[in-house]
Amino acid sequence: MDQLTLLLLISFIFIISLFILHSRISQSAKSPPGPRPLPIIGNILELGTLPHQSLANLSRTYGPVMSVKLGRTTTIVISSPKVAKEVLQEKDHAFCFRTIPDTIRALDHDKISVAWMPPMSQWRVLKRICATEVFSSQRLNSTQSLRQRQLKELVHHVSEFCRKGEALDIGDAVFTTVLNSISNTFFSLDLALYTSDKSQEFKDVIRGIMEVAGRPNIVDFFPVLRVLDPQGARAKMIGYVAKLIAFFDGLIEERLQFRGSEMESKRFNDVLDSLIQLMMQENPQVSRSQVLHLFLDLFVGGIDTTSSTIEWAMAELVRNPEKLKKVKEELKQAINEDEQLEDFHISKLPFLRAIVKETLRLHPSFPLLVPHKTEDEVQLCGCFMVPKNAQVLINVWAIGRDPSVWDDPKQFMPERFSSTEIDFKGHDFELIPFGAGRRICPGLPLANRTIHIVLASLLYHFDWKLADGLKVEDMDMSETYGISLHKAMPLKAIPKQT
């Protein structure tokens, strides 16, 4: 056999081998199943007004790894703990980028935000600052007394409704408490009074940001329309973001002027002071702009999700009087009558902790988490190929209601956590309302303390009954969706002194 014939034969065998290998790869790594998309619009019409519920329903048909087409965007929806673990822990390096909604581009927030920016060097700096300067145990312990004052003011406010026998809007009261609790931790000041309109102003801006960010936007499905902003969503977001950025900038300027005054010797033991020190270093770790947008992330996300979780927990307890009675008995046994509720009491209250876990299981603040994105093709579950630039949604709402994961998943049963060590801190993928992996919510330590201690204060000092003769079986527990999940109908209840 001459050399030319041998070379041609080797080439032919090589080509055939490549073809067989490609066929095997194609067979072993296929696209996840999903509903058939319509031309151009894909599956957009199937999302509805509650996309987490719509996607959960579709996943029952197409499985825990599902592909849907939203305009030009391929979206992979994950609805099982096992696959969520693969995405967020085992292969989190491949899934740790973000799909950026057009509204998040307001004032270039996506380029500076610790929640949205790519996981590069500056993101690591901001994440480290969150861990060491904002949410460390030392920082939260040092600002505990400021939050204690908010609990006393909440009890005093609720006592007025108790004295008058009037119904309290629990969501509004909790929002003001959490607003002032977080603002004292960050800035050493109250931002609102229970009797003023200031709390409502902040609530309108914060809820506005969450709703606009989460509402379906045609620009996200068809990026070619970005320049037109046909729904005006980005314009609305710019208005909301500009208000908060201007407010934070005023606080920074005021603190800088204070540092240069005769009273400079007085030090604030708060987050703002720590971040200003980092800004003022010879080789600053962060810029003023980065601090402003960091406060925007932490302030908006922390207040909205924490207050909504407490309202959901109260709604479930009012709806389940036997659970309410049980947690009140635990509180009375663990806390002396003349004692002030403090963070360390949380460890003595296992049923209260179980209530918070059960609330987060049924009503996760971010039902689809913040969207992830792939930078390259990634194989998932050993058989599916997730394409480059695909959006990846983790449907934690669906996981929390999956009957293969939880017994009686639609029932509010805190007792289910009495015989398990499952927690929501990112290690147990059956319960990941704050996410997991490198992009877990940085504010989890403060949220954990605030949710438990505010909820305990409302339960320890007061009994609760529904207003206007409403029966528990008639309570409206429907949801409204932004980027976060809220109770559609405000919870109003009459407090009674215990």
Short mmCIF file of all heavy atoms in Angstrom, two decimals, residues 191-216:
data_model
loop_
_atom_site.label_atom_id
_atom_site.label_comp_id
_atom_site.label_asym_id
_atom_site.label_seq_id
_atom_site.Cartn_x
_atom_site.Cartn_y
_atom_site.Cartn_z
N LEU A 191 -35.05 56.25 60.34
CA LEU A 191 -35.48 56.89 59.10
C LEU A 191 -36.97 57.18 59.08
O LEU A 191 -37.44 57.91 58.20
CB LEU A 191 -35.12 56.00 57.90
CG LEU A 191 -33.63 55.83 57.61
CD1 LEU A 191 -33.42 55.01 56.35
CD2 LEU A 191 -32.94 57.18 57.48
N ALA A 192 -37.72 56.63 60.01
CA ALA A 192 -39.17 56.84 59.96
C ALA A 192 -39.78 56.66 61.34
O ALA A 192 -39.20 56.02 62.22
CB ALA A 192 -39.82 55.86 58.98
N LEU A 193 -40.95 57.23 61.52
CA LEU A 193 -41.77 57.02 62.71
C LEU A 193 -43.00 56.22 62.31
O LEU A 193 -43.45 56.27 61.17
CB LEU A 193 -42.19 58.36 63.32
CG LEU A 193 -41.07 59.31 63.76
CD1 LEU A 193 -41.66 60.65 64.17
CD2 LEU A 193 -40.28 58.70 64.91
N TYR A 194 -43.56 55.50 63.28
CA TYR A 194 -44.75 54.72 62.98
C TYR A 194 -45.93 55.62 62.62
O TYR A 194 -46.83 55.22 61.89
CB TYR A 194 -45.13 53.86 64.19
CG TYR A 194 -44.14 52.76 64.46
CD1 TYR A 194 -43.15 52.90 65.43
CD2 TYR A 194 -44.17 51.57 63.73
CE1 TYR A 194 -42.23 51.89 65.69
CE2 TYR A 194 -43.25 50.56 63.96
CZ TYR A 194 -42.30 50.72 64.94
OH TYR A 194 -41.37 49.72 65.18
N THR A 195 -45.90 56.86 63.12
CA THR A 195 -47.03 57.77 62.91
C THR A 195 -46.78 58.76 61.77
O THR A 195 -47.57 59.68 61.57
CB THR A 195 -47.31 58.54 64.20
OG1 THR A 195 -46.10 59.20 64.64
CG2 THR A 195 -47.77 57.60 65.30
N SER A 196 -45.69 58.61 61.02
CA SER A 196 -45.38 59.55 59.95
C SER A 196 -45.55 58.88 58.58
O SER A 196 -45.73 57.67 58.49
CB SER A 196 -43.95 60.07 60.08
OG SER A 196 -43.03 59.08 59.68
N ASP A 197 -45.48 59.70 57.53
CA ASP A 197 -45.58 59.18 56.16
C ASP A 197 -44.23 58.76 55.61
O ASP A 197 -44.15 58.24 54.50
CB ASP A 197 -46.19 60.25 55.24
CG ASP A 197 -47.63 60.58 55.59
OD1 ASP A 197 -48.31 59.68 56.11
OD2 ASP A 197 -48.06 61.72 55.36
N LYS A 198 -43.15 59.00 56.39
CA LYS A 198 -41.81 58.73 55.89
C LYS A 198 -41.61 57.25 55.60
O LYS A 198 -41.00 56.88 54.58
CB LYS A 198 -40.77 59.20 56.91
CG LYS A 198 -39.38 59.41 56.33
CD LYS A 198 -39.37 60.60 55.38
CE LYS A 198 -37.97 60.84 54.83
NZ LYS A 198 -37.96 61.93 53.82
N SER A 199 -42.14 56.40 56.47
CA SER A 199 -42.01 54.97 56.26
C SER A 199 -42.68 54.56 54.95
O SER A 199 -42.14 53.75 54.19
CB SER A 199 -42.63 54.19 57.42
OG SER A 199 -42.54 52.80 57.22
N GLN A 200 -43.85 55.13 54.67
CA GLN A 200 -44.56 54.79 53.44
C GLN A 200 -43.78 55.25 52.22
O GLN A 200 -43.79 54.57 51.18
CB GLN A 200 -45.96 55.42 53.44
CG GLN A 200 -46.84 54.96 52.29
CD GLN A 200 -47.09 53.47 52.30
OE1 GLN A 200 -47.38 52.89 53.35
NE2 GLN A 200 -46.97 52.83 51.14
N GLU A 201 -43.08 56.37 52.33
CA GLU A 201 -42.27 56.85 51.20
C GLU A 201 -41.16 55.85 50.87
O GLU A 201 -40.94 55.51 49.70
CB GLU A 201 -41.67 58.22 51.53
CG GLU A 201 -42.69 59.35 51.61
CD GLU A 201 -42.04 60.66 52.03
OE1 GLU A 201 -40.80 60.79 51.86
OE2 GLU A 201 -42.75 61.54 52.53
N PHE A 202 -40.46 55.41 51.91
CA PHE A 202 -39.41 54.40 51.67
C PHE A 202 -40.02 53.11 51.15
O PHE A 202 -39.45 52.45 50.27
CB PHE A 202 -38.64 54.14 52.97
CG PHE A 202 -37.55 55.14 53.24
CD1 PHE A 202 -37.70 56.10 54.23
CD2 PHE A 202 -36.37 55.12 52.52
CE1 PHE A 202 -36.70 57.03 54.48
CE2 PHE A 202 -35.35 56.03 52.77
CZ PHE A 202 -35.52 56.99 53.75
N LYS A 203 -41.16 52.73 51.71
CA LYS A 203 -41.81 51.50 51.28
C LYS A 203 -42.18 51.58 49.80
O LYS A 203 -41.99 50.62 49.04
CB LYS A 203 -43.07 51.24 52.12
CG LYS A 203 -43.70 49.88 51.89
CD LYS A 203 -44.83 49.64 52.89
CE LYS A 203 -45.40 48.24 52.75
NZ LYS A 203 -46.46 47.99 53.75
N ASP A 204 -42.71 52.73 49.37
CA ASP A 204 -43.09 52.89 47.97
C ASP A 204 -41.88 52.76 47.05
O ASP A 204 -41.96 52.14 45.98
CB ASP A 204 -43.76 54.26 47.75
CG ASP A 204 -45.14 54.35 48.39
OD1 ASP A 204 -45.71 53.28 48.71
OD2 ASP A 204 -45.64 55.48 48.59
N VAL A 205 -40.75 53.35 47.46
CA VAL A 205 -39.55 53.29 46.63
C VAL A 205 -38.98 51.87 46.60
O VAL A 205 -38.67 51.32 45.54
CB VAL A 205 -38.48 54.28 47.14
CG1 VAL A 205 -37.16 54.07 46.39
CG2 VAL A 205 -38.96 55.72 46.95
N ILE A 206 -38.86 51.24 47.78
CA ILE A 206 -38.26 49.90 47.86
C ILE A 206 -39.14 48.87 47.16
O ILE A 206 -38.66 48.07 46.34
CB ILE A 206 -38.02 49.52 49.33
CG1 ILE A 206 -36.90 50.39 49.91
CG2 ILE A 206 -37.67 48.04 49.46
CD1 ILE A 206 -36.71 50.26 51.40
N ARG A 207 -40.45 48.90 47.42
CA ARG A 207 -41.34 47.97 46.74
C ARG A 207 -41.37 48.27 45.25
O ARG A 207 -41.46 47.35 44.42
CB ARG A 207 -42.75 48.07 47.33
CG ARG A 207 -42.87 47.47 48.73
CD ARG A 207 -43.00 45.96 48.67
NE ARG A 207 -42.91 45.34 49.99
CZ ARG A 207 -43.94 45.15 50.81
NH1 ARG A 207 -45.15 45.56 50.44
NH2 ARG A 207 -43.76 44.56 51.97
N GLY A 208 -41.28 49.54 44.89
CA GLY A 208 -41.25 49.91 43.47
C GLY A 208 -40.06 49.30 42.77
O GLY A 208 -40.18 48.76 41.66
N ILE A 209 -38.89 49.35 43.40
CA ILE A 209 -37.68 48.75 42.83
C ILE A 209 -37.87 47.24 42.63
O ILE A 209 -37.57 46.69 41.56
CB ILE A 209 -36.46 49.02 43.72
CG1 ILE A 209 -36.06 50.51 43.61
CG2 ILE A 209 -35.28 48.12 43.34
CD1 ILE A 209 -34.96 50.92 44.56
N MET A 210 -38.40 46.57 43.66
CA MET A 210 -38.56 45.12 43.58
C MET A 210 -39.59 44.72 42.53
O MET A 210 -39.42 43.74 41.80
CB MET A 210 -38.95 44.55 44.94
CG MET A 210 -37.95 44.86 46.05
SD MET A 210 -36.28 44.26 45.71
CE MET A 210 -36.39 42.61 46.38
N GLU A 211 -40.67 45.48 42.43
CA GLU A 211 -41.72 45.16 41.47
C GLU A 211 -41.25 45.40 40.04
O GLU A 211 -41.47 44.58 39.14
CB GLU A 211 -42.97 45.98 41.77
CG GLU A 211 -43.71 45.52 43.02
CD GLU A 211 -44.83 46.46 43.42
OE1 GLU A 211 -45.13 47.40 42.62
OE2 GLU A 211 -45.42 46.27 44.51
N VAL A 212 -40.62 46.55 39.80
CA VAL A 212 -40.15 46.86 38.44
C VAL A 212 -39.07 45.87 38.01
O VAL A 212 -39.04 45.43 36.85
CB VAL A 212 -39.62 48.31 38.37
CG1 VAL A 212 -38.97 48.59 37.02
CG2 VAL A 212 -40.77 49.30 38.59
N ALA A 213 -38.19 45.49 38.94
CA ALA A 213 -37.13 44.54 38.60
C ALA A 213 -37.68 43.16 38.27
O ALA A 213 -37.11 42.44 37.45
CB ALA A 213 -36.13 44.44 39.76
N GLY A 214 -38.79 42.78 38.91
CA GLY A 214 -39.32 41.44 38.71
C GLY A 214 -40.41 41.32 37.67
O GLY A 214 -40.72 40.22 37.22
N ARG A 215 -41.02 42.44 37.28
CA ARG A 215 -42.12 42.39 36.33
C ARG A 215 -41.60 42.01 34.94
O ARG A 215 -40.57 42.52 34.50
CB ARG A 215 -42.81 43.75 36.30
CG ARG A 215 -44.13 43.78 35.54
CD ARG A 215 -44.75 45.16 35.63
NE ARG A 215 -45.03 45.52 37.01
CZ ARG A 215 -44.81 46.71 37.53
NH1 ARG A 215 -44.27 47.67 36.78
NH2 ARG A 215 -45.12 46.96 38.79
N PRO A 216 -42.30 41.11 34.23
CA PRO A 216 -41.86 40.78 32.86
C PRO A 216 -41.70 42.02 32.00
O PRO A 216 -42.59 42.88 31.95
CB PRO A 216 -43.01 39.88 32.35
CG PRO A 216 -43.58 39.27 33.58
CD PRO A 216 -43.47 40.33 34.64
#
